[in-house]
């Protein structure tokens, strides 16, 4: 009743033959969908006898389709694994960054949460300036890590309520360079290093660490500078009380 049947070893169990018999099929071509030692399943092509096409060309076609299907399924699996790996790496990266930021926050309770707020302000400013979401995301990341160099600054200097001495100011002024040096070995940070280095430059000059001005300051550095200043004005510091947001925006 089955007529000519081409089956792989995986199809030769008796229950498979009984199933085919109940379907009253004249011909069935069954080939494995596999790639190397990976087995994905079986591909069937069957008819009830209405077609008289020679069986072997049909079997060759089914084998070709099965090979393409196996390759596609293997690629889908590879993409899924890669996506999972990237997600895990991203989570590890984000966790490391937040741990570093928490270290900075622990050094100076008056600026706790400063980096997260600057990140939010930077993203908002970038979005309102018409930057695409990728660039706005870079601005957020830069805002999050812009003060990472304060890890290398004495806690006594960071917490000092009064005016800094020249030597103490030099310590503070070094933190953009320290931050740049900490982050430059991380590939994900390459696009934001300029913002970390130049977020204390001033458009009119007189900033640090390089004293550059105007459009010589990278756009990301200017953006983080604004976000940094906005948060500084609207939070309590050792040397003054917070201003209302409306006053800061003026």
């Amino acid at each position: 009743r089955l007529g000519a049947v081409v089956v792989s070893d995986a199809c030769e169990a008796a229950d498979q033959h009984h199933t085919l018999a109940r379907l009253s099929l004249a011909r069935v071509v069954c080939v494995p969908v596999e790639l190397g030692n990976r087995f994905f399943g079986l591909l069937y092509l069957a008819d009830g006898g209405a077609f008289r096409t020679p069986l072997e060309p049909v079997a060759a076609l089914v084998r070709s389709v099965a090979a393409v299907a196996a390759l596609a399924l293997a690629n889908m699996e590879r993409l899924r694994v890669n996506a999972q790996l990237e997600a895990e790496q991203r989570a590890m990266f984000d966790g490391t960054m937040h741990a570093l930021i928490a270290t900075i926050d622990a050094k100076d309770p008056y600026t706790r949460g400063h980096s997260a707020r600057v990140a939010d302000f930077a993203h908002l400013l970038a979005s309102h300036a018409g930057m695409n979401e990728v660039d706005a995301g870079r601005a957020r990341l830069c805002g999050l890590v812009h003060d990472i160099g304060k890890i290398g600054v004495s806690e006594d200097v960071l917490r000092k309520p009064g005016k800094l001495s020249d030597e103490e100011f030099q310590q503070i002024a070094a933190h953009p360079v320290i931050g740049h040096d900490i982050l430059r070995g991380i590939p994900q940070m390459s696009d934001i290093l300029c913002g970390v280095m130049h977020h204390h430059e001033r458009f009119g000059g007189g900033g640090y660490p390089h004293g550059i001005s105007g459009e010589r300051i990278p756009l990301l550095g200017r953006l983080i500078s604004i976000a940094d200043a906005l948060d500084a004005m609207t939070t309590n510091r050792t040397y003054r009380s917070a201003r209302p947001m409306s006053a800061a925006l003026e």
Side-chain angles (χ1 to χ4, degrees):
R1 184 70 183 277
L2 291 175
V5 180
V6 178
V7 296
S8 69
D9 291 342
C11 297
E12 289 179 350
D15 60 333
Q16 292 280 356
H17 287 280
H18 294 160
T19 299
L20 297 176
R22 287 196 300 271
L23 293 175
S24 300
L25 298 173
R27 300 187 303 178
V28 175
V29 177
C30 172
V31 297
V33 180
E34 57 187 353
L35 185 67
N37 61 355
R38 296 290 308 281
F39 176 75
F40 297 100
L42 299 169
L43 181 61
Y44 290 91
L45 181 65
D47 71 67
F51 301 102
R52 299 302 179 192
T53 306
L55 191 60
E56 188 50 41
V58 174
L61 175 62
V62 176
R63 283 193 290 268
S64 297
V65 173
V68 173
L71 185 60
L73 289 168
N75 285 336
M76 290 174 62
E77 177 68 11
R78 188 178 300 111
L79 289 173
R80 185 191 66 79
V81 171
N82 288 344
Q84 181 178 352
L85 181 60
E86 288 177 6
E88 291 173 355
Q89 290 175 336
R90 182 68 191 181
M92 183 180 298
F93 172 77
D94 289 346
T96 301
M97 289 301 102
H98 282 91
L100 289 172
I101 301 310
T103 301
I104 297 172
D105 285 348
K107 288 172 70 75
D108 185 2
Y110 281 95
T111 59
R112 182 166 291 127
H114 169 69
S115 296
R117 292 190 298 271
V118 171
D120 289 341
F121 284 144
H123 185 270
L124 186 63
L125 288 168
S127 297
H128 278 276
M131 292 184 180
N132 60 45
E133 188 54 36
V134 172
D135 289 337
R138 291 192 183 107
R140 180 190 292 278
L141 178 59
C142 188
L144 188 64
V145 301
H146 74 286
D147 272 345
I148 199 75
K150 285 184 177 178
I151 288 176
V153 179
S154 164
E155 292 180 18
D156 292 337
V157 173
L158 290 175
R159 298 181 181 187
K160 185 174 180 178
K163 184 178 179 180
L164 299 177
S165 68
D166 289 345
E167 182 180 350
E168 290 167 338
F169 178 77
Q170 289 305 314
Q171 285 192 51
I172 289 290
H175 84 266
V177 178
I178 296 171
H180 178 277
D181 290 345
I182 289 172
L183 299 173
R184 66 180 177 180
I186 304 174
Q188 295 94 327
M189 296 294 182
S190 60
D191 291 332
I192 67 166
L193 291 176
C194 62
V196 174
M197 177 68 85
H198 297 296
H199 72 275
H200 277 294
E201 304 289 0
R202 296 292 175 260
F203 199 80
Y208 60 84
H210 299 134
I212 58 178
S213 61
E215 294 189 359
R216 291 183 61 200
I217 305 171
L219 178 60
L220 188 55
R222 284 177 268 160
L223 192 150
I224 299 301
S225 177
I226 295 171
D228 190 27
L230 185 59
D231 184 66
M233 287 186 284
T234 56
T235 54
N236 290 320
R237 294 298 174 97
T238 56
Y239 47 87
R240 58 154 178 79
S241 299
R243 298 180 187 177
M245 179 63 74
S246 57
L249 291 174
E250 291 177 359

